[in-house]
Amino acid sequence: MASTFRLVRFAALACALSLGPVTAAAQTTDGFHSIQVFPVVVDSASFTQRFTFRNPNTAAVNISPVYLPGTGTSQASLLTCPSFSIAAGADRTFTSLRHICPALAAESQFGMLYTYKLSTQNLPYSAFSRVANPQGNGFSVEAFAANEFTSADSSIAGLRRLASGPGNPAFQTNCFFGNMRDLPPAATATTEVVVSLYDANGAKLGSDLAVPLVPGQLTRLIDVFGAVGAPVGDHDNARMQYFEAGDGEPGLLAFCTVQDNTSFGADFRIAKQEHPFDFELVGPQDDHAARDVLEGQDAFGRVFELGAGASAANTHLVYFKHPDWIECRLLDPLLGTPLANSYGVEMRLVQADTGEVLAGGAGIQGFTQVYTGDKTDRNNGANTRYFLQVESNGLNTGSARRYWVQCGSGSGHTRVDLVAYKEALNRF
Amino acid sequence: VRLATSQSFPRTLESMNASASFRRTAFACLLALCASGAAQGQSTDGFHTIQVFPVVVDSDSFAQRFTFRNPNPTALTIAPTYYPANGTSQAAALACPAVVVPADSDVTLSSLRTLCPALAAGSQFGFLYTYQDGAANLPYSGFSRVSNPQGQGFTVEAFSAQEFTSADATVSGIRRLAATPSSPTFQTNCFVGVMNLLPPGTSTLPTEVYVRVIGSNGALLGSQQTVLLTPGRLTRLLDVFAAVGAPAGNHDNARVEFEEDGDGEPGILAFCTVQDNTSFGADFRIAKQEQNFGGDFGFGGIGAQDDLAARESWLLEDMRTNTGGSTYANRPFAVGTGVAAANTHVMYFRHPDWIQCELIDPDTAVRATNGYGLEMRMVANDGATVIAGGNNLQGWGKVYLGEKEDRNEGANSRYTIEVQSNGQNTGNARPYELHCQSGSGHTGGDILQYQQAVNRF
């Protein structure tokens, strides 16, 4: 009886979270930041959320938490909660959301929690939380750095709505969409996302659904299949995609939960940035981590070109990651096609701090699928910077040669900057 | 119910029937064995060409369902390799059949054994390394869900391989508690492994990881333990408090620290699970890179071992410039005398974030005074918007870069830092060190334009 009671109460939480039967969200191993956002936080009669903050610094850090309520909850507006301090090198645990935010409205609440450090010093910290009932049942929610939320077209795969059967429970998918708060809260432009659902064969289910999003609020779509008007019945291995339809490219937060309606187990699936700006590109909306870059000039408008003769060189700078596979090539700026050797330029890739040549060389205008190495192979295990050396190959006796550089990578790289321009050099 | 070794796990399972209590027990054992915990996600930056699942599992009662997404306009081929954990019956790494994902499609595989049919019999756990096999650059994402037929289970998302480094890493908030009338027993298991190398054999040297558990009062619990690791292997520390010899009894809000001690700075994979021994719920806590000991300009600082994401950087010169043949020379940061002398640095910051930069006088090791003869400012990627600094300023504190919509169409961006003579230096050239800090990381501050005869502000 007692366990049945617990199951019912757990179901109540799951419903509250459908409201967000969220099981957990982690983040990357790169977990120390000055702004940490919990995509979902909850407080109810049966469940509490336990927060742990870690300060790895040699000075105390002061953190300001701001609670951003979910739509439909009784907390009318955002709530600035009391700031708190974490001693140098220490951790601090709060036993509940209400412990962090005592002025939280009564009754069950869910929303997002935005936290940031108040100190004038640069003191990154990490944050983790666990939602549980007194029996320990629950789920984990880690914090994300605020800069991870963008307006990139994003997707979540593997969604399902299934009726229960002899061998499986009923499954339901709920999706949540939020618009990051603005700091200071001055620009309050509402935007909207257009949500689409596709079945396992790539066919659209139902119709597109526009969801308006106010900064600092989380909006829920219970049973996303029902919300878009998908045909009744089972759907398995479906995909939710959305794009931001407003102006300004705000930071958007989206996740889905796939819950089973028997045990009320659930998982949390953060939306992944699939297409930045241009649908032809893949990856996040982030100039630190572009998967494909095509450039013909640098930050100052300096056109990529080389003069005639054997001694003319440019040196470009790109930060790649390792391990990864990367590729770069020189393109004709008029035709957009790979350059031939007769065009008069050549290129090679050099690790900046060792001078090791990784790819390219004399008479080469590009390379594909070069492995940057294991962690042990480079820069004491830290992702690092590389030179892309482009120079005349001596075959150009005419006018200056313009070129574009296109680089691709599996885990992202920076733009193609220019650190030495039109030097009279012949290095290879 | 909790088994000490994985070898006994399958035998125990086979001897039990399929009752609800059996499934519950089996799930508990599974968690204890693989410590896979309730769930894990990753960042929103989820498409890569190498994707690593830190833990994968296959047993009689639980299957792991994998979903791979290909957002590209062409099909891609994924090559998976299974790396077994120590103590399991799979003797060595197992290259599994390729998975083809059509253009702009997803592929779901219903179990680890479906993915790797040659997996040894019985219950298995380890980690799964996958990569895109082919000449084109086609990033993909990976997600998995471990569950029994009733849907109970946990989630494991894939990480890009480059996220695993040799930085000192920590997991906070771990606990070991005895049951009370109002709470269950809690137990913490930790796992540590070394990433496999590609191609295999480039370096097979073992490394050591020190594991320490720190109590909520900051005191070391038990003693530091040394775990010897070889590439491509995962090692489990069942009840990490016991593993380090912590005093018997309850420990709450403790922290585990992982410190790599070998050479070469390999990719270390570490996580803990905190499970309750009543419902056998658990969570998964990936170790966070707390202090880095590699890279060119953030050595010893807080944060990831990653020159794209240093939280604090100190740079006196930029990288070696190959000026011909095999001759390399660093460019020291210095600005000449007179009014018209300037350097322009490029830095990649993230936003929203707070950042701060300053010029350090190398002789005094503190911020240069105005009398030193330098000034600086930071300009946004539009080339016009001055964000901080200016005339006769040698630094600034805590500047907010704005919301996503405030800059570069919502994408993290590059900035230029202009350092120039303020006209007060009539003597020698002025060397300087560029010192910057950020909350979410930045690059080094390489020079785009060196010792130009300009006066911009």
Side-chain angles (χ1 to χ4, degrees):
Chain A
M1 193 64 189
S3 63
T4 303
F5 172 69
R6 284 195 295 269
L7 184 61
V8 169
R9 298 190 77 177
F10 187 75
L13 175 75
C15 293
L17 282 180
S18 312
L19 283 212
V22 183
T23 283
Q27 54 175 192
T28 76
T29 63
D30 185 3
F32 290 91
H33 303 273
S34 296
I35 306 173
Q36 297 274 15
V37 179
F38 290 95
V40 65
V41 291
V42 63
D43 191 88
S44 74
S46 302
F47 283 80
T48 57
Q49 190 160 356
R50 183 183 182 90
F51 298 84
T52 299
F53 295 86
R54 163 119 187 94
N55 172 17
N57 303 283
T58 54
V61 61
N62 292 312
I63 295 173
S64 175
V66 179
Y67 172 74
L68 307 165
T71 52
T73 61
S74 60
Q75 176 71 40
S77 60
L78 71 79
L79 179 64
T80 299
C81 308
S83 62
F84 57 88
S85 178
I86 308 175
D91 305 342
R92 184 161 177 181
T93 296
F94 292 87
T95 56
S96 71
L97 175 61
R98 204 167 288 279
H99 189 192
I100 294 180
C101 300
L104 194 65
E107 304 173 339
S108 294
Q109 304 293 340
F110 79 98
M112 303 181 281
L113 188 71
Y114 178 101
T115 74
Y116 66 99
K117 61 100 185 176
L118 289 170
S119 319
T120 55
Q121 293 175 275
N122 186 54
L123 302 171
Y125 61 95
S126 68
F128 175 87
S129 75
R130 170 90 182 153
V131 180
N133 67 10
Q135 290 71 46
N137 292 328
F139 50 87
S140 302
V141 181
E142 290 207 20
F144 289 75
N147 80 81
E148 285 202 52
F149 301 115
T150 76
S151 281
D153 297 359
S154 300
S155 67
I156 301 174
L159 306 181
R160 50 197 346 200
R161 183 178 71 182
L162 299 176
S164 62
N168 65 275
F171 284 99
Q172 176 181 321
T173 299
N174 308 308
C175 293
F176 295 71
F177 301 88
N179 187 351
M180 287 297 296
R181 69 177 297 230
D182 292 332
L183 187 71
T188 53
T190 297
T191 188
E192 67 176 22
V193 292
V194 177
V195 179
S196 306
L197 215 57
Y198 298 88
D199 69 12
N201 298 316
K204 183 172 284 188
L205 291 170
S207 54
D208 292 346
L209 178 66
V211 180
L213 295 174
V214 176
Q217 279 214 317
L218 190 65
T219 296
R220 171 195 60 196
L221 296 180
I222 294 180
D223 180 9
V224 70
F225 292 91
V228 301
V232 295
D234 290 353
H235 298 284
D236 203 5
N237 299 326
R239 180 174 71 253
M240 185 280 289
Q241 291 189 183
Y242 71 87
F243 67 89
E244 193 260 345
D247 296 327
E249 305 292 299
L252 301 182
L253 178 162
F255 59 91
C256 294
T257 63
V258 179
Q259 69 183 43
D260 77 77
N261 285 343
T262 303
S263 72
F264 294 102
D267 58 40
F268 177 103
R269 307 183 185 201
I270 195 77
K272 298 186 188 334
Q273 300 181 68
E274 186 164 312
H275 299 291
F277 310 122
D278 182 345
F279 193 76
E280 297 298 314
L281 301 174
V282 169
Q285 194 153 311
D286 183 350
D287 282 353
H288 295 230
R291 304 301 194 266
D292 193 359
V293 159
L294 174 64
E295 309 224 50
Q297 62 183 26
D298 78 345
F300 308 111
R302 293 184 295 188
V303 171
F304 295 173
E305 67 177 9
L306 292 173
S311 295
N314 288 336
T315 304
H316 301 275
L317 172 75
V318 187
Y319 283 72
F320 289 110
K321 296 170 180 168
H322 72 286
D324 198 5
W325 282 279
I326 65 167
E327 57 190 30
C328 291
R329 59 182 178 169
L330 303 179
L331 299 179
D332 186 316
L334 297 178
L335 303 174
T337 55
L339 291 177
N341 195 45
S342 58
Y343 191 73
V345 297
E346 58 192 8
M347 70 183 294
R348 67 179 186 179
L349 183 74
V350 175
Q351 186 187 336
D353 62 347
T354 64
E356 177 189 354
V357 177
L358 277 76
I364 304 291
Q365 288 77 39
F367 49 83
T368 60
Q369 292 292 292
V370 169
Y371 189 59
T372 51
D374 300 307
K375 278 295 179 208
T376 47
D377 293 338
R378 212 166 298 292
N379 197 35
N380 288 321
N383 294 327
T384 187
R385 52 195 170 180
Y386 301 79
F387 288 141
L388 199 58
Q389 297 175 338
V390 181
E391 64 184 38
S392 171
N393 62 8
L395 296 176
N396 171 28
T397 55
S399 57
R401 296 300 197 199
R402 291 184 60 182
Y403 61 89
W404 286 351
V405 178
Q406 182 175 26
C407 287
S409 64
S411 283
H413 56 281
T414 59
R415 300 184 67 169
V416 181
D417 295 304
L418 194 48
V419 292
Y421 189 51
K422 292 186 176 178
E423 292 183 295
L425 291 174
N426 180 11
R427 293 171 287 201
F428 56 95
Chain B
V1 286
R2 220 159 280 287
L3 306 175
T5 68
S6 59
Q7 284 85 355
S8 60
F9 178 49
R11 288 198 299 274
T12 304
L13 285 182
E14 288 163 5
S15 68
M16 300 178 76
N17 63 32
S19 67
S21 62
F22 153 69
R23 286 191 291 269
R24 186 180 176 88
T25 303
F27 183 50
C29 295
L30 183 71
L31 288 177
L33 286 170
C34 67
S36 8
Q40 89 159 336
Q42 54 173 193
S43 81
T44 63
D45 182 3
F47 291 92
H48 304 272
T49 51
I50 305 175
Q51 296 276 15
V52 179
F53 292 91
V55 66
V56 291
V57 63
D58 191 86
S59 75
D60 290 343
S61 301
F62 283 82
Q64 189 159 358
R65 183 183 181 89
F66 297 86
T67 298
F68 296 97
R69 162 109 185 103
N70 173 15
N72 302 282
T74 57
L76 68 84
T77 300
I78 297 170
T81 303
Y82 171 75
Y83 289 90
N86 287 324
T88 60
S89 61
Q90 175 71 40
L94 178 64
C96 307
V99 177
V100 176
V101 187
D104 192 21
S105 296
D106 311 336
V107 164
T108 296
L109 297 114
S110 58
S111 71
L112 176 61
R113 201 167 291 278
T114 303
L115 191 63
C116 301
L119 196 65
S123 294
Q124 304 292 342
F125 76 99
F127 72 87
L128 187 73
Y129 176 98
T130 74
Y131 68 95
Q132 180 245 325
D133 191 6
N137 184 55
L138 302 172
Y140 62 98
S141 66
F143 175 87
S144 74
R145 169 88 181 156
V146 181
S147 62
N148 66 11
Q150 290 70 47
Q152 294 162 328
F154 51 86
T155 300
V156 181
E157 290 206 20
F159 288 76
S160 71
Q162 55 85 26
E163 285 200 54
F164 300 112
T165 76
S166 279
D168 292 0
T170 57
V171 178
S172 290
I174 65 169
R175 54 199 340 203
R176 183 177 72 183
L177 299 175
T180 70
S182 61
S183 67
T185 298
F186 284 98
Q187 176 181 321
T188 299
N189 308 311
C190 292
F191 292 71
V192 58
V194 178
M195 285 296 298
N196 53 292
L197 305 172
L198 189 73
T202 51
S203 170
T204 56
L205 291 176
T207 191
E208 289 180 339
V209 172
Y210 300 140
V211 178
R212 296 181 291 269
V213 178
I214 311 297
S216 58
N217 61 357
L220 180 69
L221 293 174
S223 59
Q224 174 179 282
Q225 299 298 302
T226 302
V227 180
L228 189 66
L229 298 169
T230 53
R233 280 284 181 173
L234 192 66
T235 295
R236 174 195 61 197
L237 298 174
L238 203 60
D239 182 3
V240 71
F241 291 94
V244 300
N250 290 346
H251 298 283
D252 203 4
N253 300 326
R255 178 175 73 252
V256 62
E257 299 178 345
F258 301 94
E259 177 188 349
E260 191 267 342
D261 187 47
D263 294 328
E265 303 292 296
I268 302 293
L269 186 162
F271 58 91
C272 296
T273 63
V274 178
Q275 68 186 42
D276 76 78
N277 287 345
T278 302
S279 72
F280 297 105
D283 58 40
F284 177 105
R285 306 183 186 201
I286 196 78
K288 299 188 187 330
Q289 300 182 68
E290 181 163 314
Q291 190 170 19
N292 74 83
F293 293 96
D296 286 335
F297 36 75
F299 189 91
I302 298 295
Q305 193 152 312
D306 183 350
D307 278 353
L308 278 90
R311 304 303 195 265
E312 185 169 21
S313 60
W314 302 82
L315 215 58
L316 274 164
E317 58 191 8
D318 68 359
M319 77 296 289
R320 296 177 180 186
T321 303
N322 179 238
T323 55
S326 59
T327 303
Y328 285 82
N330 291 351
R331 293 190 298 194
F333 294 172
V335 168
T337 59
V339 175
N343 289 336
T344 306
H345 303 261
V346 63
M347 299 197 77
Y348 287 74
F349 290 107
R350 295 177 167 87
H351 72 285
D353 198 6
W354 285 279
I355 63 122
Q356 47 194 290
C357 290
E358 62 181 347
L359 300 177
I360 301 293
D361 179 342
D363 288 336
T364 63
V366 298
R367 183 181 292 192
T369 63
N370 197 47
Y372 190 66
L374 298 176
E375 58 192 9
M376 71 185 299
R377 68 179 187 180
M378 188 166 94
V379 179
N381 71 312
D382 61 6
T385 305
V386 176
I387 293 173
N391 207 26
N392 290 323
L393 294 177
Q394 290 77 39
W396 59 84
K398 200 178 176 181
V399 169
Y400 189 60
L401 291 181
E403 314 304 334
K404 274 295 178 212
E405 60 268 35
D406 292 340
R407 208 168 298 290
N408 195 34
E409 296 183 300
N412 294 329
S413 177
R414 64 182 172 190
Y415 302 79
T416 53
I417 292 180
E418 298 170 349
V419 180
Q420 67 179 38
S421 170
N422 63 6
Q424 297 191 28
N425 171 28
T426 56
N428 299 322
R430 295 303 194 195
Y432 62 90
E433 187 170 26
L434 183 58
H435 176 215
C436 289
Q437 300 175 75
S438 64
S440 284
H442 59 274
T443 59
D446 306 286
I447 288 184
L448 298 182
Q449 292 175 313
Y450 189 57
Q451 296 188 343
Q452 283 187 304
V454 297
N455 179 14
R456 296 193 181 96
F457 57 98

